[in-house]
């Protein structure tokens, strides 16, 4: 009953009242949507490529940093800990600027895409290193002892015994990080990479309408919503197995 | 090869000389001296906290001796230059908590170290693993994961896993303590077979029946020292020290 009343109220508001009609016209203008959406959606390919390529680098770098972070060599541990804390204590936006403009001042002119991959990798590797570390430390120490007692060296024991179990445990949190990364790729627009958000903003200026931004929002949701469901599904599957 | 012959000619499989182990300010082992001959079954008993597990763990380098020496087949493993991974291949250990690898099948648990450490051919390693699993009565469980095995079965797989490296010495660290009572016998039976086949064994246990039946020698530890040493039967029936008298009166 209440739901029906709400629907009726909203329908009346958006079609009969001036304020409501103006809102729909600004945010969901079908004509502008039709004109701008193909252009905005083409940025999706850039966004996905940026996220996937970065994620591959992040996983490799994050795992390395985690292994250094738990190394028995104290100076190594210290360096990794400093890296993780400093990076996590700074805005990603700032890191993107530092990488892109900083390297440009050094005479290294990277494309916006490459600078984006580097900045996202530097930033997210710090977070994912902590996730990997938690995963490794959650494995009972008897596993390492059993592996070492069979004559395996530390690295072999890590590779064949500890990491396979640890990585399985951290798949859900790593997937959540990937979703966050996908959204954060929008920040790379600030250095001029023509991905989804950049194109949406461009069209917003051209047509003086918010609708292209809503189109950009739609682009992100098309990817993130199914991904979130997938993570949920994997999490329940994994916890059922235990 | 020369070193192998050197080891074989050593009179003792294990020789522990004045072994001390400290955790922080707490001294767990206070100068242990012990010799184990090849094919001997040494049973180690004592109250919890007496240092028996720590001593066992020192023997394959899971704990580092604070001072003293441990010779395995004549090689001093407390020497930092010694190849600890090579040494561990000759010393198998079975833990109280099994510590099977949960992400691997039973067969893979047994074949992993021979393949990855000894570079054994996969088919050969599997043949051998199946023979070992048959020996512990679990050949039909080769493709099962540890989570689907009972505690007794897991522990027998753990024994097979250790044996796959062809150790000269086997360490057993309270291997039946985590088992339901009805599962203890199947594990002890495997250990008795091993003893009969001439395996050198150091067994930390509370199973006095086992100690009596297969133990060649028994040591009683208390507070980081070996307090009594001798024939199991003799120590059970006639302990000398007050601590041992008290201990055996409670558990026998």
């Amino acid at each position: 009953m209440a739901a029906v009343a709400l629907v009726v109220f909203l329908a009346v508001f958006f079609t009969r009242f001036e304020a409501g009609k103006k809102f729909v016209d600004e945010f969901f203008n079908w004509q502008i949507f039709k004109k701008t959406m193909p252009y905005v959606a083409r940025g999706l390919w850039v966004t996905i490529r940026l996220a996937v390529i970065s994620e591959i680098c992040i996983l490799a770098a994050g795992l390395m940093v985690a292994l250094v972070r738990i190394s028995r060599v104290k100076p190594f541990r210290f360096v990794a800990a400093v890296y993780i804390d400093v990076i996590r204590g700074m805005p990603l936006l700032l890191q993107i600027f530092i990488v892109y403009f900083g390297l440009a001042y050094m005479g290294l002119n990277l494309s916006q895409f490459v600078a984006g991959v580097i900045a996202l990798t530097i930033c997210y590797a710090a977070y994912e290193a902590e996730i990997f570390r938690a995963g490794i430390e959650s494995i009972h120490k008897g596993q390492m002892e059993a592996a070492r007692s069979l004559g395996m060296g530390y690295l072999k024991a890590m590779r064949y015994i500890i990491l396979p179990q640890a990585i399985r445990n951290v798949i859900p949190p790593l997937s959540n990080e990937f979703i966050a990364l996908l959204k954060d790729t929008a920040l790379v627009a600030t250095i001029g990479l023509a991905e989804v958000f950049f194109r949406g903003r461009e069209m917003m200026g051209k047509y003086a309408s918010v609708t292209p931004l809503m189109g950009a929002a739609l682009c992100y949701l098309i990817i993130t919503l199914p991904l979130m469901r997938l993570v949920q599904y994997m999490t329940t599957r994994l916890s059922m197995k235990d | 090869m020369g070193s192998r012959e050197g080891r074989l000619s050593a009179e003792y499989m294990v020789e522990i000389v004045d072994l001390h182990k400290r955790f922080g300010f707490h001294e767990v082992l206070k100068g242990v001296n012990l010799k184990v001959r090849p094919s001997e079954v040494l049973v180690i008993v004592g109250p919890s906290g007496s240092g028996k597990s720590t001593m066992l763990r020192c023997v394959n380098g899971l704990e580092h001796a604070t001072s003293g020496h441990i010779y395995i087949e004549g090689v001093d493993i407390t020497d930092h230059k010694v190849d600890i991974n090579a040494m561990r291949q000759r010393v198998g250990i079975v833990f109280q908590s099994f510590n099977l690898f949960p992400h691997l099948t039973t067969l893979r648990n047994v074949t992993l170290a021979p393949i990855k450490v000894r570079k054994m051919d996969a088919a050969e390693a599997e043949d051998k693993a199946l023979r070992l699993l048959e020996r512990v009565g679990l050949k039909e469980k080769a493709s099962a994961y540890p989570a689907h095995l009972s505690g007794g079965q897991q522990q027998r797989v753990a024994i097979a896993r250790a044996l796959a490296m062809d150790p000269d010495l086997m360490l057993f660290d309270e291997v039946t303590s985590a088992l339901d009572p009805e599962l203890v016998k199947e594990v002890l039976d495997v250990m008795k077979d091993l003893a009969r086949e001439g395996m050198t064994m150091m067994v930390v246990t509370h199973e006095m029946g086992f100690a009596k039946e297969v133990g060649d020698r028994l040591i009683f530890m208390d507070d980081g020292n070996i307090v009594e040493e001798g024939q199991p039967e003799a120590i059970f029936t006639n302990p000398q020290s007050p601590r041992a008298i008290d201990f055996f009166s409670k558990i026998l």
Side-chain angles (χ1 to χ4, degrees):
Chain A
M1 208 40 220
V4 173
L6 185 68
V7 168
V8 170
F9 169 76
L10 289 177
V12 169
F13 176 73
F14 284 127
T15 53
R16 292 281 170 262
F17 285 82
E18 252 341 281
K21 277 196 272 191
K22 192 161 168 34
F23 176 81
V24 172
D25 196 46
E26 264 317 315
F27 282 74
F28 303 100
N29 185 313
W30 180 242
Q31 290 309 318
I32 293 176
F33 182 82
K34 265 202 311 200
K35 260 185 266 174
T36 58
M37 194 57 186
Y39 180 76
V40 174
R42 244 175 290 142
L44 201 50
W45 174 234
V46 180
T47 294
I48 292 173
R49 231 168 19 146
L50 180 60
V52 169
I53 292 174
S54 299
E55 182 63 25
I56 292 166
C57 301
I58 291 163
L59 287 174
L63 182 56
M64 300 275 263
V65 174
L67 289 175
V68 175
R69 179 75 183 79
I70 58 170
S71 148
R72 277 160 302 179
V73 187
K74 232 181 180 168
F76 286 6
R77 271 206 317 259
F78 179 74
V79 168
V82 168
Y83 164 75
I84 288 169
D85 285 353
V86 166
I87 294 298
R88 290 195 307 170
M90 277 197 290
L92 171 56
L93 184 57
L94 184 62
Q95 295 173 38
I96 292 170
F97 270 59
I98 291 174
V99 168
Y100 185 62
F101 296 112
L103 291 179
Y105 278 127
M106 277 175 59
L108 201 62
N109 279 308
L110 299 175
S111 72
Q112 291 106 337
F113 186 87
V114 172
V117 169
I118 293 174
L120 289 170
T121 300
I122 289 174
C123 178
Y124 270 78
Y127 289 95
E128 297 196 7
E130 286 297 271
I131 293 173
F132 276 121
R133 178 166 76 107
I136 291 167
E137 287 176 347
S138 74
I139 304 302
H140 192 270
K141 75 174 173 49
Q143 291 289 308
M144 180 55 99
E145 288 186 350
R148 296 304 305 274
S149 76
L150 290 165
M152 286 185 216
Y154 177 80
L155 290 177
K156 263 191 190 149
M158 263 296 162
R159 174 166 166 208
Y160 295 112
I161 304 303
I162 308 300
L163 288 182
Q165 300 182 59
I167 288 171
R168 175 183 168 280
N169 288 349
V170 296
I171 286 173
L174 287 182
S175 309
N176 282 327
E177 286 295 304
F178 178 68
I179 293 169
L181 170 73
L182 216 129
K183 292 179 293 171
D184 277 351
T185 54
L187 290 170
V188 184
T190 54
I191 57 171
L193 184 70
E195 43 67 76
V196 171
F197 171 62
F198 184 92
R199 285 160 178 256
R201 202 180 50 182
E202 201 184 333
M203 288 299 109
M204 175 181 76
K206 191 170 172 192
Y207 289 88
S209 163
V210 193
T211 300
L213 286 189
M214 300 311 284
L218 189 64
C219 287
Y220 287 107
L221 288 172
I222 283 168
I223 312 177
T224 52
L225 287 181
L227 270 180
M228 283 187 258
R229 300 311 306 168
L230 185 68
V231 174
Q232 195 106 57
Y233 173 76
M234 281 192 308
T235 310
T236 33
R237 275 282 312 265
L238 284 174
S239 61
M240 264 176 0
K241 264 191 175 170
D242 289 331
Chain B
M1 280 327 277
S3 67
R4 176 107 208 157
E5 276 155 29
R7 278 194 257 118
L8 287 177
S9 66
E11 187 183 351
Y12 295 103
M13 180 67 73
V14 181
E15 199 175 342
I16 299 176
V17 182
D18 196 30
L19 175 64
H20 289 258
K21 173 67 187 176
R22 238 192 328 267
F23 292 109
F25 291 114
H26 181 55
E27 191 165 34
V28 182
L29 296 174
K30 301 175 176 173
V32 171
N33 290 285
L34 181 67
K35 289 170 180 170
V36 184
R37 281 184 301 278
S39 294
E40 188 177 15
V41 177
L42 176 79
V43 178
I44 303 157
V45 299
S48 62
S50 60
K52 48 196 194 316
S53 285
T54 304
M55 182 187 76
L56 208 64
R57 290 164 58 84
C58 283
V59 171
N60 78 341
L62 284 178
E63 303 289 354
H64 295 288
T66 305
S67 68
H69 297 276
I70 301 168
Y71 300 89
I72 309 271
E73 296 177 309
V75 178
D76 186 356
I77 66 157
T78 58
D79 183 343
H80 289 297
K81 275 171 278 177
V82 87
D83 179 354
I84 196 80
N85 294 329
M87 182 281 286
R88 282 183 175 134
Q89 294 176 46
R90 290 183 282 119
V91 183
I93 185 165
V94 184
F95 302 92
Q96 179 175 352
S97 50
F98 326 136
N99 296 346
L100 288 184
F101 306 133
H103 61 302
L104 303 175
T105 61
T106 297
L107 187 67
R108 199 77 182 115
N109 262 276
V110 181
T111 58
L112 185 72
I115 292 172
K116 301 300 178 193
V117 178
R118 295 178 86 185
K119 310 290 175 204
M120 194 187 263
D121 174 63
E124 193 189 337
E126 275 180 28
D127 273 358
K128 184 175 184 182
L130 288 171
R131 279 202 306 279
L132 285 166
L133 287 173
E134 190 167 22
R135 192 164 148 192
V136 299
L138 288 170
K139 196 179 177 185
E140 75 284 0
K141 297 285 185 191
S143 56
Y145 283 87
H148 297 126
L149 302 181
S150 73
Q153 291 172 331
Q154 289 193 47
Q155 198 56 297
R156 286 185 281 153
V157 174
I159 294 173
R161 180 177 68 178
L163 291 176
M165 296 300 280
D166 293 317
D168 299 332
L169 166 70
M170 283 286 283
L171 312 175
F172 294 87
D173 188 5
E174 301 201 32
V175 294
T176 57
S177 300
L179 295 177
D180 290 336
E182 77 271 20
L183 302 177
V184 168
K185 186 174 175 295
E186 64 190 51
V187 174
L188 291 181
D189 284 345
V190 169
M191 292 165 66
K192 284 174 195 168
D193 281 345
L194 260 184
R196 264 183 231 113
E197 287 160 21
M199 176 62 76
T200 313
M201 295 163 62
M202 293 174 73
V203 186
V204 172
T205 187
H206 297 297
E207 297 290 334
M208 297 304 145
F210 173 86
K212 223 181 279 187
E213 193 182 333
V214 298
D216 295 310
R217 194 156 51 104
L218 180 145
I219 58 173
F220 175 80
M221 288 184 72
D222 184 43
D223 196 26
N225 293 300
I226 295 175
V227 181
E228 299 209 22
E229 180 171 355
Q231 270 256 282
E233 185 79 61
I235 294 185
F236 291 155
T237 50
N238 191 20
Q240 302 297 313
S241 64
R243 203 59 195 84
I245 292 168
D246 179 54
F247 181 78
F248 290 114
S249 74
K250 278 176 186 152
I251 67 159
L252 285 178

